[in-house]
Amino acid sequence: MNLQIHLALALCLASFSAIAQPTEAGQPADAGQTSAPASPAPDAAADPIATIPLAPEPAPPLPVADTQASTGAIEEVIVTASKRKENARTLAGAVTAVTRERLDETGSSNFADYLALSPGVNLSSGNPGVSTVTIRGVSTDTMPTTGQSAVGIYYDDIPLTDPGTPVLVPDIDAYDAERIEVLRGPQGALFGSSSLGGALNYIPQAPNPSAFAFTGQASGSRTKNAATGFSAKMMTNVPLVDDAVGLRLVGYYTEAPGWIDNVGTGVDGANDSRIAGGRAMLGWDVTPESSLRLTGLYQRAVIDDTAFVDDSGDLKKNTLVPEPARNDITIGALHYDYDTDFGTLSLIGGYQDKNNESVSDQTAFLGLQALGVPFVGSQAQAVDGYSAELRFASNAGEFFEYLIGVSYANRDETLETLIDTNLLALPREIVSNLFASLGLTPPAVLGATRLIYERVDQKAPEAAAFIDTTFHLTSRLKLAAGGRFYRNTVDADISGQGVLLAPSGSLTFNDTSKTTASGFNPRVSLAYEFGKDIMVYGLYSRGYRLGGINLVPDTPVSPTKTEYGSDQVNNYELGAKTRWLDGALTVDMTGFYIDWKDIPLQVQDRLGLFKYLDNVGDARIFGIETSLAVRPADFLTLRSAVTWNKATLQNFYDPQNGRPPVEPGDRLPGSPEWTISNTVSAHWYVAGITPIVTLIHRYESKSPSSLSYQDVTKGGYNQFDARIGAQIGSFGVTLFGRNLGDVRGITAVQPYARATGGALYRRDFIIMPRTFGLELNYSFGQ
């Protein structure tokens, strides 16, 4: 049996043993005899396996415990995954809410930290903002490609997923977030396109119009093979009009020195990065029945050299020029809620502007590094657009509950790709051989040559109407049914020029493309409660993804397809949510089966000149997700999330790149068979001091990097982190260590079949080496 399975079983057995034979100090309290912590936020949420907020004063950033206030039970939580406030334990669906308390407890600030706490979720990460989130194995690559992503990303219900090639996956710093909700399984009924595998919803902390509050955090860290890094973050909450208007301001800056040496440019620690951003939210309780929130957010990331390693040695890469990258995101949002006698009317409007620019050295891909002349590629992506949603949710507690709404979004996306080189720096014989290997005739006059330039401009309006109904057939049995009517359009203009287009019969091409999709995504569930502590449910749901355009010419010489259609998944799942030992133990389990149809896969034209996407794939996915949380003593909480997944392609697929073809039954990329997360947290109160200890273990088994490179894998590693600190009044201090084993875990791969010779060249993105640091916190007010 694998080490990771032993660890998970040992954790569970130790927890049960502690409950079965509790010490006097660790006897679980009777949930019926104790009270919850004072003054919790009305809609504060946590995963069924999430951290318990153990003391109301002082406010986080560090979780504070007081055993006198502890209930001994894992708190129930409120989520808004169904676009209304609902107890996660009565929701017929798989939802994880990583709360502010748990974010602070684990030191989580980005995707890599907090997504691992949820079962069924896998992250393939490159540069900041360039990553692929996979839920339940619904993925065809571990790096962003030309198709829309399979997981919807939302900021406070504002959709941020791009209509085509992902411009930027918005990994917004989680400082002062209220919670991050992870919705597993297709969410096409309520959340629209791109939610094939699920959706993420980042929910910020709302202003408090009644009290001033301030939190600050400063940290310094040292990573192997790097200089010292630092981070500074702060939050200020200011009541502008007592009990009516409040303003909440958040700012942060993180500088991470590089830990990868570029032997080609001669720069040690080349991959320095800096992330800066902030947000402001104005909250106004207009009347006792209505409220308004206005939000503005900006975040920018700058990377001096792309952070991958190759075969140059440990923590080394080799490019002839640096590969810098920069991305930024701007978000504006409006939320208006009006309570009536029958329910709540909500209006949500949003604006987004995202940009991503990067430079890459294509010389290694071409296999020409020995020549010393760089073939430099650059890419610029931008998307801007707006969205609006109007919905009405009836009051809870009635025999018949309903949610109805309409939404509209329109996004403009631009993508530009360029590869140039200076042929004057190459001997004529080398130029001739290079062009011959590509099937081209060398230019008569050498000089700066544009190998390829491509540009696409596309608009993607999306209109929808949705409904969700719930019938409480008995006090224990409820039936929910609903769905989403949608109509999407992707309208694109495509152009290109360069010598690499010569085999098509021209050095330029221009084309237009328009794809339209419409339909209905249903969602039906039946749930039954065996008392207050056990609920079982069955669920059927569907999700879909937009089709798109291909950035290749379609000519009589080289016929291709200028567009590909949408794909969809049908999801069937059975789940159980249970509480034991007066709430000191929760165990949730979900089994699911996903049928994925019409997957866009990369194919090649009949002459072998150009590659493009076509809907030629089908897949089947089976899995079991388990979440366990146990509190054997008032000061100790143990959590475990374990997922087994079998995600396989059902048809033969040959990428035609010199790599082994994919056989029916081969695993989908970014879908490891096992993912495991274990967390042990302890905090107690001694003479005015609250010691805090958190131990974190994560495991991900191996999976392919992409369907085009089934034999190139990522994952297959364990990661161990630890945090040890103390809270003294309003001050906190924490020592932390990440990747204590200093493993070189591969999180994503960019593999290439070299243009000259077809040999494999791969760029591996790995987790940060062993890092130690010190974190200081201060908080004032609530």
Side-chain angles (χ1 to χ4, degrees), residues 530-548:
F530 294 88
K532 66 176 183 178
D533 291 332
I534 299 177
M535 187 198 77
V536 296
Y537 71 90
L539 169 68
Y540 165 74
S541 57
R542 182 185 296 169
Y544 74 105
R545 182 168 54 171
L546 298 180

Side-chain angles (χ1 to χ4, degrees), residues 288-419:
E289 297 81 19
S290 62
S291 63
L292 175 69
R293 299 200 318 270
L294 299 174
T295 303
L297 177 145
Y298 178 78
Q299 179 171 296
R300 177 182 178 183
V302 178
I303 302 95
D304 290 349
D305 201 347
T306 298
F308 67 85
V309 297
D310 53 26
D311 56 5
S312 301
D314 185 36
L315 301 180
K316 297 183 185 302
K317 63 180 287 190
N318 184 3
T319 60
L320 299 182
V321 296
E323 300 180 307
R326 167 188 166 181
N327 58 67
D328 61 74
I329 179 171
T330 302
I331 299 174
L334 175 151
H335 284 69
Y336 178 75
D337 296 309
Y338 181 75
D339 294 329
T340 72
D341 293 337
F342 307 101
T344 301
L345 179 70
S346 299
L347 173 64
I348 302 170
Y351 168 79
Q352 62 167 305
D353 184 1
K354 298 190 292 186
N355 298 275
N356 187 17
E357 300 174 357
S358 60
V359 172
S360 61
D361 184 357
Q362 299 292 305
T363 317
F365 160 63
L366 295 169
L368 299 173
Q369 286 176 295
L371 298 177
V373 178
F375 290 71
V376 180
S378 62
Q379 190 171 77
Q381 300 167 275
V383 64
D384 66 273
Y386 58 89
S387 62
E389 181 173 296
L390 179 66
R391 67 185 186 229
F392 183 84
S394 67
N395 292 325
E398 304 293 335
F399 162 76
F400 174 65
E401 300 172 5
Y402 63 92
L403 169 77
I404 56 174
V406 292
S407 68
Y408 182 81
N410 194 8
R411 292 151 293 184
D412 295 342
E413 182 173 357
T414 300
L415 170 65
E416 293 182 279
T417 302
L418 171 68
I419 301 177

Side-chain angles (χ1 to χ4, degrees), residues 102 172 426 465:
R102 191 159 191 213
I172 298 168
L426 296 173

Side-chain angles (χ1 to χ4, degrees), residues 218-222 733-736 772-776:
S219 66
S221 62
R222 189 65 180 264
V733 57
T734 301
L735 294 171
F736 61 86
F772 293 105
L774 174 67
E775 181 181 285
L776 303 176

